[in-house]
Amino acid sequence: MTKKMMAAVAALAISAITAMTGLAQAGTVSGTVTYLERIAVPPGAVLEVELHDVSRADAASVRLSGQRFALDRVPFPFALSYDDNLIDERMSYTVQARILSGDVVLYRSTTAYPVLTRGAAGEVDIVVDRMAAPQAASADVPVGTWQVGELGGRMLVAEKRPDLEFRDDGSFGGSTSCNRYRGTAEFTGDGGLSFPDNIAATLMACPPPYDKLERDFLKALGEVEGYVLNGDNLALVNGAGVAVIRLMRMH
């Protein structure tokens, strides 16, 4: 058998094995990551970019791919490889990013950045938000009264909007736009935040559309796992770092 024939046979064999075993076919998501503050990148900063499957609304997102980069400037271009066999055109995918200094998260994405399916492209420009500086838990509370401006990724347009007050001992309270509620939240020193499963509230019947607004607001509180404080703007984020509630300081 000649060398050309042997090479052709080998190529056919590889193709057959690939077809039978479904070997990974690499795809790439690319884009940039930046932040809005006009300050230099901290020395030794690391950028983490991840591709997540966010198709299930009732479950945590699934990490499909991730990569770390030595961050020396912003905007910073990235290219993230993934296995094409993991992508289903019926599902939804987002890219998430965060900037770290050691184990401390300095910035993270709090907005969903869709890619690949449902009309989304394979390229995305991500803006990350500054995280609250790690402090002792008692000093980590974003004390003050905040009013909801965005709920579930949508701007809230209503005559009466929910509000939320945090006190320095971690207790909270406010109005759902119909009923009053209160409780004690759990804060950690790394921007973590969770609300109790059962929040005490008054039981007045709420007329439309405030009945649905109340349900949506309380459901969103149950999804919160952290927060990002940026001046007079507060984002309550889920486990994937996506803002489920955005609020503005009232006083």
Side-chain angles (χ1 to χ4, degrees), residues 42 199 216:
I199 297 176
D216 291 345

Side-chain angles (χ1 to χ4, degrees), residues 68 98 100-106 134 190:
R68 291 166 63 93
R98 62 180 189 167
L100 302 94
S101 178
D103 294 329
V104 178
V105 179
L106 303 178
D190 57 357

